[in-house]
Amino acid sequence: MSLCQYSILCALLFVGTFGHGDEELFLPLKTLQRIQHNHNDPSCSSQKSRSENGAIILEMKHKDYCFRSRSGGLNKRRQKILLADDIRVRSIQSHIKNISSQQVEDTQIPINSGVSLQTLNYIVTVTLGGRNMTVIVDTGSDLTWVQCQPCRLCYNQPEPLFNPSISPSFQSVACNSSACQSVESATGNSGLCGTNSQACNYLVSYGDGSYTKGELGQDHLVLGRTSVDNFVFGCGRNNIGLFGLASGLMGLGRSDLSLISQTSDAFGGVFSYCLPSTDAESSGSLVFGADASVFKNSTPITYTKMVQNPQFFSFYFLNITGMTIGGVGVQDSSFGKSGFLIDSGTVITRVPPSIYKAVKAEFLKQFSGYPSAPGYSILDTCFNLSTYEEVNIPTIKIYFEGGAEMEVDVAGVFYFVKSDASQVCLALAGLQYEDAIGIIGNFQQRNTRVIYDTKQSQVGFAKETCSFM
């Protein structure tokens, strides 16, 4: 079972890269507010793609880029984001606890905010069976699926539903096939024979009550200019939950049915992304393949090995060895003792209680003199900055086994609960239990090139201002 079984979330708000020293970010507060509240409402119905140096690049945007005007008030949206994020994290922790009690050429495509589709994730556009489909990108999912005709229970989406009957390349996946036998590792539920004994049915249920079910099919997939024949995916006939208006979901996990595994011959099991903000000017990229020449990173790539865990083979685990706040090391014995998940679908990074306590204490020590504000949802380190023209923000760096490091972008340090800056919170949260699994959320991954190399079993990080063009 993969993280695909849980609520589909993503980061919201602000990304920016600003000049700063190693220990402190000096930034006019209005600049940070502008980054977070530049809320245009363009159409995201056609995202761009291009080929460069043999790589296919897909434009990537946050869902809030397009549909924020349909999503209600800003403060209400932010509350829903954190509540949904908490549901996802609780589901992940519960799932891990349950399992623990048991035994071609490179391609680059745009990745965008999914706001326009009212989903809390990043989205890309691909072509399946000759039809453009806008799908949620999720490293914590395995099975790729789209809503299909005829649909018994489907949520609204602006794009036409995928119709297998008019696709000349669509084929059903037989019940006795190896793909059907792989369904359980990808979804947690075994593939079941349909009434005609030919179709392989699937069910993916999520921790918040969302689900998708239908039958497996295979069709011609196009990622930018790269074609993938006989791509196995879920043809969803009953779908309900936190998917917004997206046509479906792209699973980037590690099981046999994930897109990464199915395209391993073409791309070598390597993909990367640079997650953009919700700013109207921002779009990132999702790259398939190992050619680093298409990246726009401003610092060298540093790699850390994935933590191997046969019980959670589909998840991406890393070993965090330390953190610094404003150049000062955070001291805690929990570092290096357990793996952290890195997840594109969780918003706020979660750390064990002892680490959070140490991080909070050091941050408050350095960010002193600013008036406090009430906590908000899962965030309890908050400030009232409404009377300040500029603030000095301590830098946050995360260190991994093997010497890799990730510097949190300035816009990933604070979560603006209120647009007037009267309630601004440190965008980190503590877990409920010390032995709970930490999660590196996408809020802290923005403006960072994150490279997943499943063949070499390593993840790389480099600073990059996310830009598709």
Side-chain angles (χ1 to χ4, degrees):
M1 187 185 301
S2 76
L3 295 187
C4 175
Q5 279 89 12
Y6 308 103
S7 37
I8 307 302
L9 306 170
C10 82
L12 188 60
L13 309 174
F14 39 94
V15 170
T17 300
F18 305 90
H20 57 79
D22 290 336
E23 298 182 359
E24 193 172 53
L25 304 168
F26 180 75
L27 184 70
L29 193 62
K30 289 184 178 179
T31 302
L32 191 54
Q33 287 174 286
R34 175 185 59 76
I35 296 170
Q36 300 186 30
H37 305 299
N38 187 355
H39 293 328
N40 292 347
D41 188 26
S43 169
C44 282
S45 58
S46 58
Q47 297 178 44
K48 304 178 183 68
S49 66
R50 74 172 187 270
S51 178
E52 181 179 323
N53 296 337
I56 300 300
I57 305 169
L58 300 187
E59 184 180 16
M60 190 176 193
K61 286 186 178 293
H62 189 279
K63 63 91 183 174
D64 277 1
Y65 175 69
C66 306
F67 294 115
R68 62 174 55 85
S69 63
R70 308 179 192 177
S71 305
L74 180 63
N75 290 345
K76 183 176 291 186
R77 290 201 306 273
R78 288 179 179 166
Q79 184 177 22
K80 288 181 178 179
I81 289 166
L82 294 184
L83 288 174
D85 197 43
D86 197 39
I87 291 173
R88 178 183 178 99
V89 170
R90 289 176 183 271
S91 298
I92 291 172
Q93 300 295 340
S94 176
H95 174 55
I96 289 175
K97 184 176 180 181
N98 289 338
I99 290 183
S100 297
S101 66
Q102 308 167 2
Q103 295 305 348
V104 161
E105 64 178 16
D106 290 0
T107 295
Q108 183 172 257
I109 55 180
I111 188 166
N112 298 297
S113 163
V115 170
S116 57
L117 302 181
Q118 298 180 16
T119 176
L120 301 180
N121 270 98
Y122 291 91
I123 54 176
V124 296
T125 298
V126 299
T127 303
L128 183 65
R131 302 295 297 271
N132 283 350
M133 297 277 115
T134 301
V135 291
I136 295 167
V137 173
D138 194 355
T139 60
S141 298
D142 287 290
L143 181 68
T144 297
W145 59 269
V146 296
Q147 296 198 113
C148 285
Q149 291 184 354
C151 194
R152 290 180 285 275
L153 179 62
C154 279
Y155 54 84
N156 292 328
Q157 65 178 56
E159 298 168 338
L161 295 179
F162 181 79
N163 189 344
S165 65
I166 63 174
S167 171
S169 49
F170 178 85
Q171 292 182 330
S172 294
V173 172
C175 226
N176 60 356
S177 66
S178 59
C180 190
Q181 295 171 7
S182 298
V183 168
E184 184 168 9
S185 65
T187 68
N189 299 291
S190 299
L192 301 173
C193 292
T195 55
N196 61 5
S197 74
Q198 294 298 315
C200 174
N201 292 340
Y202 79 90
L203 167 65
V204 181
S205 55
Y206 299 81
D208 64 344
S210 305
Y211 65 85
T212 174
K213 60 182 178 180
E215 69 270 4
L216 290 188
Q218 56 184 25
D219 210 328
H220 187 68
L221 175 70
V222 179
L223 302 169
R225 297 181 182 179
T226 298
S227 298
V228 182
D229 292 325
N230 302 317
F231 178 73
V232 177
F233 66 100
C235 202
R237 310 289 187 175
N238 291 268
N239 318 288
I240 188 169
L242 297 177
F243 310 118
L245 303 177
S247 297
L249 181 145
M250 175 189 286
L252 297 178
R254 302 175 68 184
S255 82
D256 290 343
L257 288 187
S258 75
L259 187 147
I260 302 306
S261 295
Q262 291 194 59
T263 61
S264 62
D265 288 344
F267 304 127
V270 180
F271 72 97
S272 69
Y273 54 67
C274 188
L275 300 180
S277 71
T278 60
D279 182 73
E281 302 295 325
S282 299
S283 64
S285 61
L286 174 63
V287 178
F288 296 99
D291 184 2
S293 67
V294 301
F295 303 158
K296 301 176 181 179
N297 51 300
S298 58
T299 63
I301 301 170
T302 57
Y303 285 94
T304 183
K305 67 180 182 180
M306 297 177 189
V307 176
Q308 301 302 315
N309 191 324
Q311 292 178 309
F312 314 113
F313 71 92
S314 186
F315 299 174
Y316 296 103
F317 276 96
L318 307 176
N319 189 14
I320 292 182
T321 57
M323 294 178 65
T324 58
I325 307 296
V328 177
V330 175
Q331 303 301 319
D332 189 82
S333 60
S334 297
F335 285 123
K337 290 188 175 180
S338 60
F340 278 61
L341 289 176
I342 181 167
D343 182 29
S344 70
T346 296
V347 181
I348 301 296
T349 292
R350 306 301 209 284
V351 297
S354 62
I355 292 180
Y356 180 70
K357 181 179 179 180
V359 168
K360 177 180 178 179
E362 184 59 39
F363 191 88
L364 287 174
K365 180 180 179 181
Q366 297 188 34
F367 198 70
S368 60
Y370 298 102
S372 63
Y376 185 79
S377 184
I378 60 174
L379 307 177
D380 65 8
T381 307
C382 303
F383 307 89
N384 181 350
L385 304 178
S386 58
T387 62
Y388 293 86
E389 291 294 326
E390 56 192 26
V391 292
N392 298 319
I393 307 173
T395 59
I396 298 178
K397 289 186 178 181
I398 303 174
Y399 298 88
F400 301 88
E401 182 177 357
E405 64 178 61
M406 182 182 77
E407 179 176 335
V408 176
D409 189 77
V410 59
V413 175
F414 279 137
Y415 190 101
F416 275 58
V417 175
K418 294 183 179 179
S419 57
D420 64 357
S422 63
Q423 193 175 15
V424 179
C425 302
L426 178 64
L428 294 171
L431 292 161
Q432 189 173 4
Y433 303 107
E434 197 64 39
D435 60 351
I437 300 297
I439 303 174
I440 305 169
N442 61 26
F443 200 92
Q444 283 69 42
Q445 295 179 52
R446 296 184 180 128
N447 279 339
T448 299
R449 174 61 59 179
V450 184
I451 304 103
Y452 297 76
D453 186 339
T454 62
K455 290 296 178 67
Q456 298 296 323
S457 194
Q458 61 184 5
V459 173
F461 301 94
K463 290 188 68 64
E464 179 176 331
T465 301
C466 295
S467 174
F468 174 69
M469 301 307 294

